[in-house]
Amino acid sequence: MGLRARSLASRSPGAAGPRPAVLPLLLLLLLRPGAHGAAAPGEAEAPTLYLWKTGPWGRCMGDECGPGGIQTRAVWCAHVEGWTTLHTNCKQPERPSNQQNCFKVCDWHKELYDWRLGPWNQCQPVISRSLEKPLECVKGEEGIQVREITCIQKEKDIPADDIICEYFEPKPLLEQACLIPCQQDCIVSEFSAWSECSKTCGSGLQHRTRHVVAPPQFGGSGCPNLTEFQVCQSSPCEAEESMYSLQVGPWSTCSTPHSRQARQVRRRGKNKERDKDRGKGVKDPEARELIKKKRNRNRQNRQENKYWDIQIGYQTREVMCTNKTGKAADLSFCQQEKLPMTFQACVITKECQVSEWSEWSPCSKTCHDMTSPKGTRVRTRLIRQFPIGSEKECPELEEKEPCVSQGDGVAPCAMYSWRTTEWSECRVDPLLSQQDKRRGNQTALCGGGVQTREVYCVQDNGNLFSHLNTNKDKEASKPVDMKLCTGPSPNTTQLCHIPCPIECEVSPWSAWGPCTYENCNDQQGKKGFKLRKRRITSEPTGGSGGTGNCPHLLEAIPCEEPSCYDWKAVRLGDCEPDNGKECGPGTQVQEVVCINSDGEEVDRQLCRDAIFPIPVACDAPCPKDCVLSMWSAWSSCSHTCSGKTTEGKQIRARSILAYAGDEGGAPCPNSSALQEVRSCNEHPCTVYHWQTGPWGQCIEDTSVSSFNTTATWNGEASCSVGMQTRKVICVRVNVGQVGPKKCPESLRPETVRPCLLPCRKDCVVTPYSDWTSCPSSCRKGDSGIRKQTRHRVVIQLPANGGRDCTDPLYEEKACEAPQVCQSYRWKTHKWRRCQLVPWSVQQGSPGAQEGCGPGRQARAITCRKQDGGQAGVYECLRYAGPVPALTQACQIPCQDDCQFTSWSKFSSCNGDCGAVRTRKRTIVGKSKKKEKCKNSHLYPLIETQYCPCDKYNAQPVGNWSDCILPEGKVEVLLGMKAQGDVKECGQGYRYQAMACYDQNGRLVETSRCNSHGYIEEACIIPCPSDCKLSEWSNWSRCSKSCGSGVKVRSKWLREKPYNGGRPCPKLDHVNQVYEVVPCHSDCNQYIWVTEPWSVCKVTFVNMRDNCGEGVQTRKVRCMQNTADGPSEHVEDYLCDPEEMPLGSRECKLPCPEDCVISEWGPWTRCTLPCNQSSFRQRSADPIRQPADEGRACPNAVEKEPCNLNKNCFHYDYNVTDWSTCQLSEKAVCGNGMKTRMLDCVRSDGKSVNLKYCEELGLEKNWQMNASCMVECPVNCQLSDWSPWSQCSQTCGLTGKMIRRRTVTQPFQGDGRPCPALMEQSKPCPVKPCYQWQYGQWSPCQVQDAQCGEGTRTRNISCVVSDGSADDFSKVVDEEFCTDIEPIIDGNKKMVLEETCTQPCPGDCYLKDWSSWSLCQLTCVNGEDLGFGGIQVRSRAVIIQELENQHLCPEQMLETKSCDDGQCYEYKWMASAWKGSSRTVWCQRSDGVNVTGGCLVVRQPDADRSCNPPCSQPYSYCSETRTCSCEEGYTEVMSSNGTLEQCTLIPVVVMPTVEDKRGDVKTSRAVHPTQPSSNPAGRGRTWFLQPFGPDGRLKTWVYGVAAGAFVLLIFIVSMIYLACKKPKKPQRRQNNRLKPLTLAYDGDADM
């Protein structure tokens, strides 16, 4: 409690301690009954101090995916001020739950759930921004638009919790910023020119109109009036103007004649008897049969014509007389000979009638799956009756909807997947560059290569696992159409690796061993062998494998008296004089060990049969005896073997250390006794060795039981163990094969070894694919033989003697001939009789009594096959083109009418240019007698026409095509395209299209110009040339003679790549590329060899004593070291000069009586690490004791401190850098090896023999070799060119055919890059574009009246164009358009006649629609805001009489959206000023002048006249629209800033040349209003007017001030330069200053 109170107190500002009132209050709250629950009844509820708080929900946990999960959250009780308290303080019933059920989302739910994005709603302005609107709208107003986003389960399309979708993808944005564009006012064009005056005499009106260019948008202001009027006056009218005009009204709807059935009943009653009589008269059975047939045919026609219920009725119209105010008047006011017809025959309009919908068809997709698209189902209805005279088309007759087949019996859909064949064998040659010499011999290539495979599509088996487990897995499913497989296809090319054979590497030969038995365990005979051996240092791999590729490892020389074990002297003991004397003759015992033939120490027992070395005789010199040194070691043998001319010798020597005394001392021997020679290597030079041939093929060995048997694909063979043999012969070196006994039999290599037989692989192919389908539709004039094919794929190539692929992979057969397409045509039957308007309606009109005049007639049409057989009407609707006219206007001639036959066809042209062709008609019947019918002007009987004058010329059009290579297939291996296999370069052809025109410039077929449509021209596609480098140079020598160095080789650039060849590797500044590898030189390869020291030659010879100080020398030679010891003398530079032993030294020759000591022994080793406190020493032994009077033996021990890098060295290993990646000589790329070397380095930095480091046992855990990768230079591989596409245009000049290719293998490394040209085009042959085109509408014609409803007509004509927008179509004969469906502007319905209204004089009416405006986008600064394009058209109002204005209709505006819009800008334009005015107008960016569109606030001034006007004398209106005074007058301004008067300004007289010496005087001020004149010749006068009318200084005042300032600066600087003394006067400087001085001298009188 205290804690809570303290925390409360600490929160109160300035609280020094707990408040006394808080604690009792809390106690009261806790102890009060009902404190945990609600307030006691009847009490006012106390304010709640404690509230439940909740944390966020945790992750959904559960064992299973889906809705069964549980999530929890923290719930705690907190005080209103935020601190946590006990749960009991909060109301328990209100406690929120701390766990709830949830949906546990798993990864696979991603397929089932997804966000559904609703459409963005309308852009709403941001309230805060919309309060403060700028004066000028630039871009628009910022707004916000919102959309709905829900998480849905895709399959059931039901909403789900957002958290499920959020698990995979964050919720997309719910709102986004948008733009409400600026208001756009209506924009209209300029006015047209004024029309002609509405009246030819008297006072009339003339008008001018404009049209809408852009409609008002986004709340912009509406359009202004589109019409302007003005009164016009013509010459006065002579006759009185007609006030009335005859007006016809619109035709009524077509109605049927009254009580037709009643009339028919009446007529039948009258005719019955007549028919009976007529029937009786026809007795002839044939005649009856004919009548019967005719009736049947008529009934059948009526039956077939059931789709068109044609009824001919009549329609009427009103004829009125109106005055010019539009009011009706009596017809008598409109005096006219012939009144218009008030009736006409017509066809009664019938709407389309259709049947009910049929049942839905079964779903087109008969299987069930989730992934592929849904199927469709269809229902249809039939037309019961076609529309006649109706504007409305028939409704859709077919309805489709997506569907899914469901139910227990529905099988799952077939699934398709990609399969691949085996990879082909790895080939290196596609990676070789053009210059690579290895292209010729590709058999031994290895390293990185390329392999390919084929990809095909198969139908998945239902059970994948059973498919995998079956033995016949390789009998894969048959290939199906590649289009059925979706998803990315597997790659068809990959890099691969052929392991490179590693050559066998062997060590140098060892020294020849002793003569030993062939087999020491079986010592027989007296014959043995001397052997020398070498070992394999690097095992070979690849090739035929094994040690078969290695050279022989053993050589043998036959010898006599072999022994397996022998004693070897290790060192000689001291010379022990005989009989225990001090000196004199004695013996030296040899210390020996027992060794075997390999020189290894063995048990001494094994040498029991060997001759033990006897002690060696020696002399211990007595005082005054001659003293000789010890024998040197035997030299290396002079020859490795002995023959007739060669004999191996070894030499050893000793030298005189001290001469004998005169009295009785043993004298020194002569010089020949100081050297000994012995024979060595006495064995003959005939060396033998076993030679092995390569291992033969692995042959199955039935005697060996097969192991590790593995079944192959189809279980026909099993892998087993076989045997390999090879030939082994005994060879004498440099001679050839000899008998096997000459070589040691026990060391003969094996001739047979077991081997693994590789599994036999048969050829495996897929089953055949299904036959490709034959064309199912009928044939249209294509007589080519169609074929169907099937294929199969090799999925396993034969190997190891398996069955070959012999069966064909491709089969084809001819299709059955498809039936010829049935074509259909409309058959038109005879026109029925001409039906007139009923007599009751015609009453009173001319011809009514005769039963003649205009009418309408109908006919039946039926659908027929081309062979005349009957067909359903739907066939013709689909295939036979437009329905022929069912009715036509007709005329029953009256007595007064002229009758003619129809026009004949035009006569044929005979081809002569300028000839004519004619057509004729003749007068018929009673018309022949009528004079007016014979008038050939009114009724011509012959018409002529000029024959076309055909002259054609061809001309090329368009650009040249790309250079196209002639097409031809290159046979390649299984999918493999080696470099250069596919022809990509060389000579090709380029094409340009030819167009043929006739003499009128009309495009015609190219065949008319005897052209095949192209100009062809040879061209060259340059072949790519790869970068060409030289061959590798030889390796340089190793940079170090001892230890690790580097050796280098290089290539240099011979030719750079061009035309997309392989790029060069990275070259240095001299265009070379290097390869550096580490190398190792054996430090013992060359050694210094010394001979024994010579006798000490005393410098000052004392003949008596023959002793004293002198010099001794020895020979030092550099020799090549071999296993047998130093062999031959080489140049001295090959040995290390620092290590060279001394060749001479000072010496002391002891006197005969002195002590003689031996040579110094070797130095002892310094202890490591080197330290000056440690020493090394060497000693010498006394050989001859001194005589009594001689010098005693000294202490023969020498000591010296161990100095680092002088006589003591530290050693350490050093590792070189890695070499570049080394490939086999036969590889191009792929896996290589990089190496580094280990060096032993002395502390002075010198590389020494590795043995120094090895002796110290230093740790060496470096890896010396590592595998590495050289990237393969894969050339870009392209697919074949696709077939040429269809022409991009069906006709015209600009059509193109395109073919493409794709990259099947992108280039890698230094491979040849892909060419840029992945698409080629060539022009299509030019074809003329024929189409139907409407002519212009005729003016509105009202027959026999001045105004009212009339008709206007237009024709269609066949036109030709070249397909370009700027080619205006030219009319040609209609025969060219016979094959073209009559569609104009996408509409099949031809409208050649339409009703129109001819306004009566005085009517106010709407003009025709203007043409659609250009498509305009909503833009800001030339950028589209994305609101789409809009087009507009308008109708202006035309007034003919001012008093009829109140009857005028409203002007009209119509808009439509469009796609190909452009951004337009509107700018103010202004002409040059003319006086105080100029013209200002608004112009669109394409140059059209408009009204509206430009911002009013930016409109430039058009008028600059002053207000009030400048009326004062000598004043004028300036450009700034203020009044200024003329030159010579100054402004006097009033207090309110207006000009009061212009006063003459004072005159300043500047002196002229004559008054040079006179002072400058200013004239007195004269009377300001009187102009002052200067006497002639007294100089010029300026009127200075420093201030302008606005009270500011004029510009020239500033100019004068600035000029004066510059002049002042110039004068001051010149004075300074003239007065300044130069520091060092130089002649050149003086010269330069002279002209300056002269210049100032000239002006000295200034």
Side-chain angles (χ1 to χ4, degrees), residues 866-905:
Q866 208 61 42
D867 57 8
Q870 291 185 7
V873 73
Y874 294 103
E875 306 296 336
C876 281
L877 283 172
R878 200 174 300 165
Y879 302 117
V883 181
L886 293 162
T887 66
Q888 69 173 10
C890 57
Q891 184 96 16
I892 296 180
C894 295
Q895 289 176 356
D896 294 341
D897 293 344
C898 296
Q899 292 183 46
F900 300 93
T901 59
S902 298
W903 284 107
S904 67
K905 283 187 177 178

Side-chain angles (χ1 to χ4, degrees), residues 34-71:
H36 302 305
E43 287 181 37
E45 198 165 316
T48 310
L49 287 176
Y50 299 103
L51 301 169
W52 289 108
K53 299 273 183 172
T54 56
W57 288 108
R59 274 189 70 184
C60 194
M61 310 298 283
D63 296 333
E64 293 183 7
C65 302
I70 284 178
Q71 60 185 155

Side-chain angles (χ1 to χ4, degrees), residues 1039-1051:
S1039 60
K1040 282 194 178 175
S1041 55
C1042 168
S1044 300
V1046 289
K1047 56 180 182 175
V1048 183
R1049 64 176 181 171
S1050 61
K1051 290 180 176 187

Side-chain angles (χ1 to χ4, degrees), residues 201 343 474 527 533 576 706 906 938 1122 1301 1404 1482:
C201 63
F343 56 85
K474 271 280 171 171
K527 242 188 138 188
K533 299 173 184 174
E576 300 285 340
S706 64
F906 274 109
L938 288 174
T1122 64
R1301 55 182 175 182
C1404 187
C1482 182

Side-chain angles (χ1 to χ4, degrees), residues 1473 1475-1477 1502-1510 1517-1518 1520-1522:
W1473 286 102
S1476 60
S1477 64
D1503 177 35
R1504 61 178 186 191
S1505 57
C1506 296
N1507 189 18
C1510 305
C1517 191
S1518 71
T1520 55
R1521 297 178 73 172
T1522 54

Side-chain angles (χ1 to χ4, degrees), residues 478-725:
K478 60 187 176 188
V480 294
D481 190 347
M482 300 282 253
K483 291 176 192 152
L484 293 172
C485 279
T486 54
S489 65
N491 57 333
T492 54
T493 312
Q494 73 172 8
L495 293 174
C496 52
H497 193 264
I498 300 173
C500 289
I502 296 174
E503 297 301 322
C504 184
E505 288 179 22
V506 291
S507 64
W509 286 108
S510 65
W512 285 103
C515 188
T516 179
Y517 283 104
E518 188 181 311
N519 186 351
C520 284
N521 297 331
D522 182 17
Q523 299 179 7
Q524 291 179 351
K526 290 186 177 179
K527 242 188 138 188
F529 290 99
K530 277 188 165 195
L531 303 176
R532 68 170 180 176
K533 299 173 184 174
R534 56 184 174 188
R535 59 191 170 78
I536 296 171
T537 55
S538 177
E539 287 283 351
T541 61
S544 51
T547 51
N549 290 356
C550 285
H552 58 280
L553 303 176
L554 196 105
E555 283 186 347
I557 297 172
C559 59
E560 303 291 333
E561 297 175 3
S563 70
C564 284
Y565 304 98
D566 213 340
W567 295 106
K568 179 187 177 184
V570 181
R571 70 183 192 86
L572 282 170
D574 293 336
C575 190
E576 300 285 340
D578 295 337
N579 306 322
K581 293 180 180 176
E582 289 285 318
C583 58
T587 53
Q588 276 175 302
V589 178
Q590 294 196 59
E591 200 177 303
V592 291
V593 290
C594 181
I595 58 166
N596 65 11
S597 55
D598 290 333
E600 296 159 351
E601 193 175 333
V602 292
D603 186 42
R604 294 175 77 89
Q605 284 297 313
L606 293 171
C607 288
R608 60 181 178 274
D609 298 335
I611 302 163
F612 196 84
I614 53 168
V616 179
C618 63
D619 269 314
C622 294
K624 295 189 180 179
D625 281 358
C626 173
V627 181
L628 300 175
S629 69
M630 300 282 282
W631 287 106
S632 69
W634 288 104
S635 69
S636 52
C637 197
S638 61
H639 291 94
T640 52
C641 57
S642 302
K644 290 177 184 174
T645 55
T646 57
E647 191 179 353
K649 296 285 182 194
Q650 277 175 302
I651 302 171
R652 65 177 181 172
R654 56 184 178 173
S655 58
I656 298 167
L657 293 181
Y659 286 101
D662 294 338
E663 301 104 14
C668 288
N670 57 16
S671 60
S672 62
L674 296 176
Q675 201 174 38
E676 273 188 3
V677 178
R678 74 172 182 188
S679 294
C680 57
N681 287 349
E682 293 170 54
H683 53 265
C685 293
T686 49
V687 179
Y688 300 94
H689 66 85
W690 292 110
Q691 183 174 302
T692 56
W695 286 108
Q697 244 182 329
C698 194
I699 297 160
E700 197 167 346
D701 184 12
T702 47
S703 62
V704 180
S705 63
S706 64
F707 70 97
N708 254 357
T709 307
T710 53
T712 62
W713 282 93
N714 40 19
E716 286 178 16
S718 60
C719 313
S720 58
V721 178
M723 298 301 284
Q724 268 177 307
T725 57

